[in-house]
């Protein structure tokens, strides 16, 4: 007995959704569909699909936010669909833990090739590798972080912030960029939220929080993590 592997498609464009369903089923997969981010999360939790195709531009909960949440909950590969000109979204999508992306308009042939490639990939590969920097270790899979032999007690946003920094050593982030990546585009709040979380994180990972050696302040810009 063979059980076909399942693909969840989260896309609000009805024609594209149906075309994807048709091609997936034709390719031997069982297809599940959702027309917005919230329904997508619901379906992913209930059905535990083997792969998720996720559009960036969705009504309500957008694809980036959905990706961030899904990545914490599942190790199924996530393939993002992006529109042209969404350069930043692409990068953000991959940093959020997506495994691959295709840019619209794409051919079904190309998309199915990506789907097959992701399905062949051994599970728990890309996102699961623990991140290391000096004595710091962050394991996205186990959702744990360590400084030497001591496990760090990080709140969810502190964990996400450290993961963002450790995935991008030496790269400067503005407060706005951090805010958007961690709190989402629709967050109505102050960039000082970022400063507060950086301060909390420093207290946990810096030997001398007042003279930080890991999370460096770039005056007038934001922060950079020293790898
Ligand atoms: Ca869309």
């Amino acid at each position: 007995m063979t059980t076909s592997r399942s693909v969840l498609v989260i896309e609000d464009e009805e024609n594209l959704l149906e075309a994807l369903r048709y091609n997936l089923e034709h390719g031997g997969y069982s297809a599940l569909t959702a027309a917005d981010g919230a329904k997508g999360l619901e379906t992913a939790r209930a059905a535990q699909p083997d792969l998720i195709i996720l559009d960036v531009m969705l009504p309500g909960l957008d694809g980036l936010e959905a990706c961030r949440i899904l990545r914490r909950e599942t190790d199924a590969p996530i393939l993002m669909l992006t529109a042209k000109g969404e350069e930043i979204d692409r990068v953000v999508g991959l940093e959020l833990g997506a495994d691959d992306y295709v840019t619209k308009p794409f051919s079904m042939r190309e998309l199915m090739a990506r789907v097959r490639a992701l399905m062949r990939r051994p599970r728990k590969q890309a996102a699961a590798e623990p991140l290391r920097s000096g004595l710091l270790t962050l394991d996205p899979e186990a959702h744990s972080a360590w400084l030497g032999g001591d496990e760090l007690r990080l709140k969810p946003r502190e964990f996400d912030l450290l993961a963002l920094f450790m995935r991008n050593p030496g790269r400067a982030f503005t407060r706005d960029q951090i805010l958007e990546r961690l709190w989402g585009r629709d967050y109505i709040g102050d960039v000082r939220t970022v400063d507060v979380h950086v301060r909390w994180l420093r207290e946990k990972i810096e030997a001398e929080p007042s003279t930080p050696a890991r999370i460096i302040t770039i005056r007038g810009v934001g922060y950079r993590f020293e790898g």
Side-chain angles (χ1 to χ4, degrees):
M1 197 179 88
T2 55
T3 315
S4 61
R5 303 179 80 185
S6 60
V7 179
L8 168 62
V9 186
I10 310 173
E11 165 65 80
D12 60 319
E13 286 162 56
E14 215 180 310
N15 291 341
L16 181 55
L17 191 64
E18 282 314 309
L20 286 164
R21 183 212 293 274
Y22 174 84
N23 279 276
L24 286 164
E25 287 177 349
H26 212 70
Y29 300 106
S30 72
L32 303 156
T33 57
D36 63 57
K39 286 209 186 70
L41 287 183
E42 223 171 85
T43 309
R45 284 167 185 153
Q48 300 286 312
D50 295 297
L51 185 141
I52 299 164
I53 298 176
L54 176 59
D55 186 32
V56 170
M57 300 295 280
L58 291 168
L61 181 73
D62 75 29
L64 302 179
E65 188 66 18
C67 180
R68 201 164 62 79
I69 297 167
L70 285 167
R71 188 70 301 160
R72 284 199 204 137
E73 299 181 0
T74 173
D75 58 6
I78 300 173
L79 174 64
M80 306 283 293
L81 306 180
T82 75
K84 266 199 171 140
E86 288 175 342
E87 299 288 336
I88 301 160
D89 289 353
R90 287 181 182 178
V91 177
V92 173
L94 293 174
E95 277 171 12
L96 287 171
D99 297 88
D100 200 0
Y101 67 88
V102 291
T103 305
K104 293 178 182 179
F106 51 84
S107 72
M108 281 296 162
R109 207 186 144 122
E110 184 197 348
L111 182 109
M112 290 304 293
R114 302 287 184 96
V115 166
R116 280 191 294 271
L118 286 170
M119 286 288 200
R120 275 197 304 269
R121 214 190 259 188
R123 279 288 190 93
K124 302 186 176 186
Q125 193 188 33
E129 284 291 302
L131 302 162
R132 288 178 221 283
S133 172
L135 289 173
L136 272 175
T137 308
L138 184 140
D139 186 348
E141 187 77 15
H143 213 272
S144 66
W146 298 75
L147 182 60
D150 300 320
E151 182 162 16
L152 298 168
R153 301 175 73 86
L154 301 178
K155 293 178 189 141
R157 299 289 192 202
E158 292 169 2
F159 186 89
D160 292 345
L161 182 60
L162 184 59
L164 176 70
F165 280 141
M166 288 181 72
R167 285 194 175 106
N168 299 279
R171 174 168 169 187
F173 286 99
T174 66
R175 291 173 174 81
D176 283 322
Q177 284 171 333
I178 295 171
L179 202 63
E180 182 177 327
R181 277 158 210 234
L182 266 64
W183 279 266
R185 206 179 287 179
D186 300 329
Y187 177 75
I188 304 161
D190 203 280
V191 289
R192 272 171 294 188
T193 307
V194 173
D195 300 331
V196 171
H197 281 77
V198 165
R199 198 172 71 228
W200 289 340
L201 189 54
R202 276 174 172 160
E203 281 163 13
K204 293 174 183 175
I205 68 166
E206 298 281 1
E208 293 288 339
S210 56
T211 51
R214 291 192 164 98
I215 304 172
I216 308 299
T217 302
I218 313 166
R219 208 167 278 279
V221 180
Y223 299 99
R224 185 181 68 230
F225 183 76
E226 292 296 313

